[in-house]
Amino acid sequence: PGTGPSPSASAAATAASLPSPGEPPASPYPESRVLIIMTGGTICMRPSPDGLIPMDGFLEHAMAPRPSFNDPAPHTVLEAYKDGKRRELPSLRTPVSAYSRHIRYGILEFSPLLDSSSISSTGWTEIAQAVKDNYHLYDGFVVLHGTDSLAYTASALSFMMSDLGKPVILTGSQASIFALQSDAVDNLLGSLIIAGTFVIPEVCLFFHHTLFRGNRTTKVSASAFEAFASPNAAPLARVTSLGVDVAWSLVRRPTRIAGFRITKYLDTAHVACFRIFPGIVPEMLDSVLRVANLRGLILETFGMGNAPGGVDGSLTRVIREAVARGIVVVNVSQCTNGFVSPLYAPATALGRAGVVFGHDLTTEAALTKLSYLLAVEGLSYAEIQAQMGRSLCGEMTELTSPVFSHPAGALGDSPLAGPVSGDLPIFGNDAFGSSPSDGALRRLTPIEAAFTALGYAIRNGDVKAVRAVLNGGAATHSYEMLNTADYAGNTAVHLAAVGPSTEVLQELLLHGASVHVRNRGNSTPLFLAVKRGLKDNVALLQKAGARLWGKEVMDDKDTKDVHYDE
Ligand code: ASN
């Protein structure tokens, strides 16, 4: 299946598409083909004595009666594969869109249709398999699904689908399509048009006029039409009155020559989630961590990754023991927005106990990613830990595959290279030496690429190269570059502050770079230069108005000798 229509299928389709007397003539506009995979959810529900329940026959009952889904056209039968069997799908098409295309679609209905609260990894596999089996027959895929667990399914599918080259768009609705006032038509029509028009080769979630990367989403409202958000990643596209505005620079594309593949199994049976709360008794967490055959735990912590230490550190001990038993414990934040990091002492303690920092992963993405990694054959504990700390398919903001990487040893014991006297937290799992970076997998933006070049020029003390990069683009380009930071929040000035050339540092400052920006460890360039003992850089930074920031002055023995010429 999946290599093209069989001869008999095309014959049937051709026969079926011949206009019969009274049928409308063929349209001059081309058609895209989208397969709708219907799993259930409110979108197809009708009231029953037992409450709202999914109804089958969506094409016939919900779409055919609506002109926006049913442009008069000669009958066409689409073929599709399900469970290894070829099927003929009745199809409809939309009227011609603003992009001068019709979207022709058929629906593959799952049986039974489910409320999404009952969808589990079996359902995810079924969806992934349906996309795989029909991959070459359609331009894109729309998965209709209940909203309750939609963010979990979107996250899971993103890990299950590798080298995806076509859009897979998940959607549903808060109100049934049969209700008088509903979001169903907008969500479904928007998904169909995007899936049939734009090559956005990602697992996406479309809701309330917005296309999100699926593994960044979370359900934020039980009733509002604006039910989903992607708190740590900008939307991939928005539908406005002017059309679909795609943020192409954010869209991921396959970066290697490989065919589409799916992973059929996720190990959801051996992972759990646990939410930390004030007053937690360590035994509660311990008993979850001792559930038979548990292999992974997502720990939802406070704020930037903190958990109560307890007077005797017993909660941390429970976690350390679990890690020693081979359980992967991942730290994610209870906050919808932001990230976890070993900034505060309680989070640092968790890191030392062996917890992996999930940075800005949602719980949905963390849980499904861990289930995926636990199912990959042959991955060691250390490899799973390392992969949890880096982005596999855009699910987290990459910290361990830096825009500019410092070659091992190049910075020696510089504050840029690692923690200094315990008070300069280095973010990401590198802080614990567990996450080797194997290079950026995503394509760099032009600014990031220029920043990388700038980083190397700074490291080499090559003032000519620095000038060339800074003057190489528009003025706004160099401004953006000087405001760009690497994975640890170091700007070009931070890099130059510990670099070999004061002239380079001066060049940056003359281009308007700020000496006041602090990196993720909250360090100023001046502090780094002081720690490195680079007197000329220190003097120049001071001349340019740099000041040590509160904590740097108070807490550090090396900075007591820094005086200002005022
Ligand atoms: N309970 C429904 C579901 O997730 C909610 C919805 O679709 N709006 O299937």
Side-chain angles (χ1 to χ4, degrees):
T3 50
S6 65
S8 60
S10 0
T14 314
S17 66
L18 283 178
S20 55
E23 276 200 328
S27 161
Y29 294 103
E31 288 184 352
S32 301
R33 290 194 169 185
V34 172
L35 182 65
I36 299 178
I37 297 168
M38 163 58 92
T39 69
T42 298
I43 195 163
C44 69
M45 288 189 189
R46 282 197 202 259
S48 82
D50 300 324
L52 286 170
I53 52 164
M55 299 287 289
D56 52 18
F58 195 76
L59 186 100
E60 182 192 350
H61 301 303
M63 300 185 83
R66 291 183 162 75
S68 51
F69 291 119
N70 191 359
D71 185 53
H75 252 325
T76 303
V77 174
L78 297 175
E79 72 165 337
Y81 289 84
K82 175 100 176 63
D83 305 325
K85 292 196 195 86
R86 183 181 168 279
R87 300 182 181 198
E88 287 191 351
L89 297 184
S91 78
L92 296 173
R93 72 175 190 189
T94 65
V96 67
S97 73
Y99 301 93
S100 306
R101 300 187 83 80
H102 299 275
I103 314 296
R104 180 165 290 283
Y105 59 90
I107 303 189
L108 211 50
E109 257 179 16
F110 281 13
S111 179
L113 294 171
L114 293 173
D115 185 290
S116 75
S117 49
S118 299
I119 288 196
S120 62
S121 67
T122 322
W124 302 339
T125 306
E126 221 182 320
I127 299 168
Q129 189 67 53
V131 172
K132 170 82 180 139
D133 289 347
N134 297 285
Y135 190 70
H136 296 286
L137 298 175
Y138 293 86
D139 298 302
F141 299 85
V142 169
V143 180
L144 293 183
H145 190 290
T147 56
D148 288 345
S149 68
L150 187 52
Y152 288 90
T153 299
S155 299
L157 290 178
S158 75
F159 300 114
M160 295 169 85
M161 296 182 171
S162 310
D163 299 293
L164 180 63
K166 300 184 178 188
V168 174
I169 302 181
L170 285 84
T171 193
S173 65
Q174 292 285 68
S176 165
I177 198 163
F178 303 110
L180 188 57
Q181 285 188 292
S182 171
D183 50 342
V185 168
D186 277 350
N187 290 348
L188 178 50
L189 192 60
S191 300
L192 271 179
I193 290 175
I194 296 175
T197 310
F198 303 100
V199 185
I200 300 176
E202 295 209 42
V203 176
C204 307
L205 191 158
F206 183 78
F207 225 87
H208 198 64
H209 318 295
T210 312
L211 186 77
F212 303 105
R213 175 169 300 142
N215 55 31
R216 292 300 202 128
T217 57
T218 191
K219 186 173 178 182
V220 290
S221 174
S223 57
F225 288 154
E226 200 170 351
F228 288 88
S230 167
N232 290 314
L236 298 179
R238 285 183 206 274
V239 177
T240 69
S241 59
L242 299 175
V244 183
D245 187 6
V246 182
W248 285 111
S249 64
L250 303 179
V251 174
R252 290 171 60 90
R253 296 176 187 81
T255 50
R256 48 181 188 184
I257 316 260
F260 173 56
R261 281 177 302 115
I262 58 164
T263 299
K264 290 191 193 158
Y265 167 71
L266 295 193
D267 191 2
T268 47
H270 302 113
V271 292
C273 273
F274 190 92
R275 189 176 171 94
I276 294 287
F277 54 92
I280 176 180
V281 178
E283 286 74 25
M284 294 172 179
L285 177 57
D286 196 37
S287 56
V288 173
L289 285 165
R290 288 184 190 280
V291 166
N293 301 323
L294 191 83
R295 299 180 67 200
L297 183 85
I298 307 303
L299 195 65
E300 292 186 328
T301 56
F302 300 136
M304 283 179 85
N306 304 313
V311 201
D312 55 356
S314 41
L315 195 74
T316 320
R317 197 184 60 238
V318 160
I319 294 169
R320 191 181 306 111
E321 286 168 5
V323 170
R325 293 196 300 276
I327 296 173
V328 183
V329 182
V330 181
N331 189 351
V332 297
S333 178
Q334 289 175 18
C335 300
T336 34
N337 182 251
F339 55 89
V340 294
S341 86
L343 176 63
Y344 293 94
T348 307
L350 289 180
R352 293 203 176 117
V355 167
V356 181
F357 282 77
H359 192 56
D360 58 357
L361 283 175
T362 59
T363 296
E364 293 90 331
L367 189 87
T368 51
K369 180 174 180 178
L370 189 52
S371 307
Y372 162 73
L373 290 172
L374 289 171
V376 176
E377 260 175 54
L379 273 192
S380 69
Y381 181 84
E383 282 164 340
I384 294 174
Q385 266 201 323
Q387 300 234 32
M388 277 310 294
R390 49 171 275 242
S391 166
L392 302 182
C393 46
E395 74 281 6
M396 70 198 293
T397 304
E398 187 74 83
L399 287 185
T400 53
S401 87
V403 170
F404 170 70
S405 62
H406 310 290
L411 291 162
D413 61 357
S414 147
L416 282 173
V420 175
S421 58
D423 64 352
L424 277 181
I426 294 297
F427 285 62
N429 300 296
D430 283 344
F432 309 102
S434 61
S435 177
S437 164
D438 61 358
L441 291 177
R442 70 191 167 86
R443 190 172 299 175
L444 300 181
T445 65
I447 292 294
E448 289 170 338
F451 183 75
T452 303
L454 186 63
Y456 282 109
I458 292 169
R459 193 194 70 199
N460 296 333
D462 187 344
V463 74
K464 277 207 196 107
V466 168
R467 265 186 215 127
V469 179
L470 288 177
N471 300 330
T476 48
H477 185 90
S478 92
Y479 185 74
E480 260 186 88
M481 210 181 336
L482 293 173
N483 282 296
T484 303
D486 72 3
Y487 68 105
N490 293 305
T491 61
V493 179
H494 284 94
L495 303 178
V498 294
S501 164
T502 308
E503 208 191 340
V504 161
L505 181 58
Q506 178 168 298
E507 192 66 27
L508 296 176
L509 301 182
L510 290 175
H511 270 84
S514 171
V515 294
H516 303 294
V517 182
R518 292 198 290 273
N519 68 13
R520 286 182 187 272
N522 240 347
S523 297
T524 56
L526 177 59
F527 180 71
L528 303 185
V530 169
K531 295 296 293 181
R532 196 69 193 267
L534 297 170
K535 290 203 171 58
D536 290 350
N537 289 0
V538 170
L540 178 60
L541 287 165
Q542 284 190 282
K543 215 168 153 192
R547 293 291 178 270
L548 291 172
W549 170 74
K551 187 177 175 294
E552 295 171 340
V553 185
M554 289 173 331
D555 293 357
D556 202 276
K557 61 180 172 27
D558 295 336
T559 57
K560 65 181 187 315
D561 295 323
V562 176
H563 300 292
Y564 302 103
D565 287 336
E566 283 166 358

